[in-house]
Structure formats: structure tokens, C-alpha cells
């Protein structure tokens, strides 16, 4: 155990080896996520956000700097990390329930088939997919498939959940539904999360902290702490406080893309990579545990 952040990325540099020589992607990445926290990462397309997720998952080892989880350097893939992506890859010949159970067949963690099935059913109910357990993926809408893929990512009770633009391919209304479902999931499941997103509203609705990355090679440019305002619904996004946070983030993205004047760049770029205390649950009392 450590007193520091659960996920601690410090001074990370990474270049991909390509036929044309090294392609520097990250150069000075600092991201700290408190135990139980949920950090959103935003930044221009191609700046290295998915690369960051691979580093946390242990699928890539940085050229320099450190990636630690629980104070331990990440040296390879682990079963305590769950991941979900923009395009959920569900196996068409398996039912939704069996898709959610798939990780149990790949990595054994001591969860029996019966325990896993109970947990999968409870997770599917939590995301509103009760009654769809025996359907095939093609019988579900895009939003429903994404919900099933979220359940699959959670089946092992991962300590770390990584969501790489999970709602990016959905229409605006479905996306907002998923945000609310995600809040429900966050109340009941004790993961520490990293959410990659293009959507600034999504970042302040779901996360307790938003990290803005600069353009490539990316470094941490700005960190916004989202105040805990207690129970929230979508109306929260239309408050003056939300408008102000969105304006700050938009400005920082413009700077990241090199669209803001240099003198403002110097004044506005104020990274603050030091982690705060663990974020408290945002929606009050938690009831109805998932097994
Ligand atoms: P983002 O998720 O922010 O859009 P990525 O982390 O996917 O960005 O990629 C950052 C940059 O690294 C992009 O220019 C991408 O083309 C390049 N890249 C990603 N993966 C590889 C790889 N395996 N080999 C070479 N280049 C890569
Ligand atoms: Mg990406």
C-alpha cells in the first residue's frame, strides 16, 4: 500500500520505432490519479492518449520516466486492469452473457463460473441490460453493445478501469444516457478510472479531474479539478460553473493545438500534477451492491 496516487505517471517519454525513425509521442507526461478517482484525459487527435492507456495497462513500457500503480512500477499486462474502447469488440457467436464472461476464461483469478455468472448478471442489470443476457451482439444497438463491453471490462473487479473514447461513436442522446449509466456504475464499483475523451462536457460530467495534453509530442499542459457538487444530473452541464470550466478547457485545447497566441500560452499553461486527496463519491449513499 502507498499513501500516494494509485496511478502515478511521472515524466514519461515514449517514441514509437517506425520505418522512418523514432516517432516521439509523449515527452513529459505527468498524470496522477488518486485511489478511487476518475481522471479524464483530453487532447488533440493523435497526441498520444491511447499510448497513455497502453502504458497504464502495461502493454508498453516507457523510454523514460515512470508508470506506477500502487507504488509498483508497471512492467507488463495485469489482470487487475479493465479496458473498454470506442468500438466494442464482442464475439458474434456468443451471447451477451457469455461475452461478459469471456475474461474469466482467459485469466483465472479464482472466481468460479457460478460467481462470475452472478456478477455478470448483476452488472448487466446495473447498466440496464436485464433481459438481454441471451441475445447476440448484432441484436443490440451500439449503445447497448458498449454497455455490455463495459460489463466485460468490469467482470474481474479491476482495480484500474481504462476507457478509451468509449462513447465517441454514439449519437448525442445515447451518449448522455451512457454518461448517467456510467455514474451509476461508478457509485457501485470501486475502480480507479482513466477516461480518454474528445468531449469536454463528458469530461466534466464524469471525472473529478481533467488533464489536458499538449499536441505531439504530448506533455501534461493543464489540470482542472472538477469540484464535487454532490448529486448531479445533465442539468448540471448548463450551470454557470460548468460553462466556466468548459471555457477554461476549450482555451487550453486551443493552446494545445497552437491556435492561441504565445504570450497567453505562457500565462495560461500552469500544470499542476500533484494529486489531491481521493475524490469522494459524487452521488451520495451507495445502495445495492454488485456481487
Ligand atoms: P490518440 O489516441 O491521442 O489519438 P495515439 O496514442 O493513438 O493518439 O497515437 C499517437 C501517435 O502515435 C499517432 O501519430 C499515431 O499514428 C502514432 N502511433 C500509435 N501507435 C503506433 C504504433 N504502434 N507504431 C507507430 N506509430 C504509432
Ligand atoms: Mg486514441
Amino acid at each position: 500500500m502507498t499513501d500516494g496516487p494509485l496511478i502515478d505517471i511521472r515524466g514519461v517519454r515514449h517514441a514509437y520505432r517506425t520505418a522512418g525513425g523514432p516517432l516521439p509521442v509523449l515527452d513529459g507526461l505527468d498524470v496522477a490519479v488518486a485511489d478511487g478517482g476518475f481522471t479524464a484525459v483530453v487532447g488533440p487527435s493523435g497526441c498520444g492518449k491511447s499510448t497513455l492507456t497502453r502504458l497504464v495497462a502495461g502493454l508498453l513500457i516507457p523510454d523514460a520516466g515512470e508508470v506506477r500503480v500502487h507504488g509498483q512500477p508497471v512492467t507488463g499486462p495485469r489482470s487487475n486492469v479493465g479496458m473498454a474502447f470506442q468500438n466494442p469488440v464482442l464475439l458474434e457467436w456468443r451471447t451477451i452473457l457469455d461475452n461478459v464472461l469471456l475474461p474469466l476464461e482467459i485469466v483465472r483469478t479464482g472466481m468460479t463460473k457460478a460467481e462470475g455468472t452472478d456478477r455478470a448478471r448483476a452488472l448487466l442489470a446495473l447498466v440496464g441490460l436485464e433481459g438481454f443476457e441471451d441475445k447476440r451482439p448484432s441484436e443490440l444497438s451500439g449503445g447497448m453493445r458498449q454497455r455490455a463491453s463495459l460489463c466485460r471490462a468490469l467482470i474481474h473487479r479491476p482495480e484500474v478501469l481504462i476507457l478509451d473514447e468509449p462513447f465517441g461513436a454514439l449519437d448525442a442522446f445515447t451518449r448522455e444516457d451512457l454518461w448517467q449509466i456510467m455514474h451509476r456504475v461508478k457509485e457501485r464499483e470501486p475502480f480507479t478510472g482513466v477516461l480518454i475523451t474528445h468531449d469536454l462536457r463528458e469530461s466534466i460530467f464524469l471525472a473529478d479531474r481533467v488533464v489536458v495534453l499538449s499536441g505531439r509530442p504530448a506533455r501534461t499542459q493543464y489540470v482542472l479539478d472538477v469540484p464535487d457538487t454532490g448529486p448531479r444530473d445533465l442539468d448540471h452541464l448548463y450551470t454557470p460553473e460548468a460553462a466556466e470550466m468548459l471555457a477554461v478547457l476549450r482555451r487550453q485545447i486551443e493552446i494545445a493545438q497552437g491556435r492561441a497566441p504565445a504570450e497567453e500560452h505562457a500565462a495560461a499553461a500552469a500544470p499542476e500534477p500533484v494529486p489531491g486527496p481521493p475524490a469522494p463519491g459524487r452521488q451520495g449513499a451507495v445502495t445495492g451492491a454488485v456481487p
Side-chain angles (χ1 to χ4, degrees):
M1 286 302 294
T2 52
D3 295 331
L6 190 119
I7 303 172
D8 197 2
I9 300 175
R10 280 195 209 181
V12 158
R13 284 171 49 193
H14 186 74
Y16 286 108
R17 320 270 169 264
T18 70
L23 175 73
V25 172
L26 300 173
D27 190 8
L29 184 67
D30 294 300
V31 179
V33 190
D35 195 349
F38 200 14
T39 290
V41 177
V42 300
S45 195
C47 79
K49 301 182 294 299
S50 294
T51 303
L52 181 165
T53 69
R54 283 176 219 132
L55 289 162
V56 176
L59 302 171
L60 270 184
I61 304 300
D63 295 337
E66 284 190 324
V67 179
R68 288 174 179 264
V69 172
H70 263 317
Q72 299 299 313
V74 171
T75 54
R78 295 151 347 272
S79 68
N80 66 351
V81 178
M83 295 183 91
F85 306 93
Q86 180 166 336
N87 296 307
V89 184
L90 298 172
L91 303 179
E92 194 48 51
W93 60 91
R94 297 181 73 134
T95 63
I96 292 301
L97 181 66
D98 283 343
N99 268 286
V100 174
L101 289 171
L102 186 66
L104 299 184
E105 295 166 28
I106 298 170
V107 181
R108 309 245 169 229
T109 55
M111 196 184 290
T112 65
K113 173 99 189 188
E115 284 164 353
T117 304
D118 282 351
R119 177 163 166 78
R121 287 185 182 282
L123 285 169
L124 286 166
L126 178 62
V127 302
L129 287 180
E130 199 163 18
F132 292 88
E133 295 86 350
D134 299 326
K135 303 277 189 211
R136 307 279 159 181
S138 62
E139 296 177 89
L140 269 56
S141 68
M144 292 163 101
R145 282 200 292 274
Q146 194 52 270
R147 286 186 254 164
S149 128
L150 181 63
C151 295
R152 185 179 55 188
L154 288 167
I155 190 74
H156 272 310
R157 294 196 185 87
E159 194 167 35
V160 172
L161 181 68
I162 297 170
L163 304 172
D164 193 347
E165 303 195 33
F167 315 128
L170 304 173
D171 68 79
F173 292 116
T174 306
R175 196 178 305 166
E176 291 184 350
D177 278 348
L178 272 272
W179 294 351
Q180 287 168 303
I181 288 168
M182 197 61 225
H183 256 306
R184 205 151 74 212
V185 169
K186 183 70 185 114
E187 276 177 66
R188 316 230 175 154
E189 293 286 315
F191 61 81
T192 298
V194 177
L195 168 73
I196 308 295
T197 179
H198 272 124
D199 189 325
L200 299 181
R201 292 162 74 242
E202 178 172 302
S203 74
I204 64 163
F205 188 69
L206 290 179
D208 49 64
R209 167 171 286 201
V210 184
V211 173
V212 179
L213 300 188
S214 71
R216 216 175 63 221
R219 58 187 167 73
T220 297
Q221 168 165 309
Y222 188 81
V223 179
L224 175 80
D225 279 310
V226 182
D228 180 5
T229 51
R232 65 175 53 186
D233 53 30
L234 290 169
D235 290 342
H236 183 78
L237 289 172
Y238 300 93
T239 59
E241 294 75 24
E244 196 179 321
M245 284 190 278
L246 291 171
V248 167
L249 290 173
R250 259 198 305 275
R251 187 91 194 114
Q252 290 297 329
I253 298 268
E254 282 175 7
I255 293 169
Q257 292 175 326
R259 289 195 274 125
E263 64 274 18
E264 290 183 47
H265 187 148
E272 176 215 318
V274 183
R282 182 166 282 158
Q283 295 202 320
V286 175
T287 51
V290 172

